[in-house]
Amino acid sequence: MAAHAGYIWRVARGVDNKVYTSGTDDSGRWDEKPVHPNWRTENGMALADYSGRLWMFLRGMDGFLLAATWTPNEWSGIDYVGGTQAIKLVDEPAAASHDGQLYVMYRR
């Protein structure tokens, strides 16, 4: 879970390994914020508010660290973290922002 733009957000992995996200609406009820239907993970995910965006990090089915951001009305595409040297991790990541920096923790 993470706070972003005045709302609470949550992300979860379903029993089908699909990624599910939702955020509170103006009435305080949960509102689904769909991601691409092909996004899958076998682990938990991380959310963090940084630089005016909500960031999601997850371990893809291939074992590499992936990231996406929430734009005003939808999730961006999902990209490998690490540029030309993608980061392979063992399980789920964690993320937090502090003092103008975004920190991502993972086990290799």
Side-chain angles (χ1 to χ4, degrees), residues 64-101:
F64 289 97
L65 182 60
L66 300 167
T69 58
W70 176 258
T71 60
N73 295 309
E74 64 185 357
W75 286 99
S76 69
I78 197 160
D79 294 304
Y80 287 97
V81 176
T84 59
Q85 193 67 29
I87 299 169
K88 187 106 174 177
L89 53 149
V90 176
D91 47 27
E92 63 193 50
S97 61
H98 173 69
D99 200 20
Q101 298 292 319

Side-chain angles (χ1 to χ4, degrees), residues 10 13 34 37 81:
R10 62 185 177 185
R13 176 186 61 90
V81 176

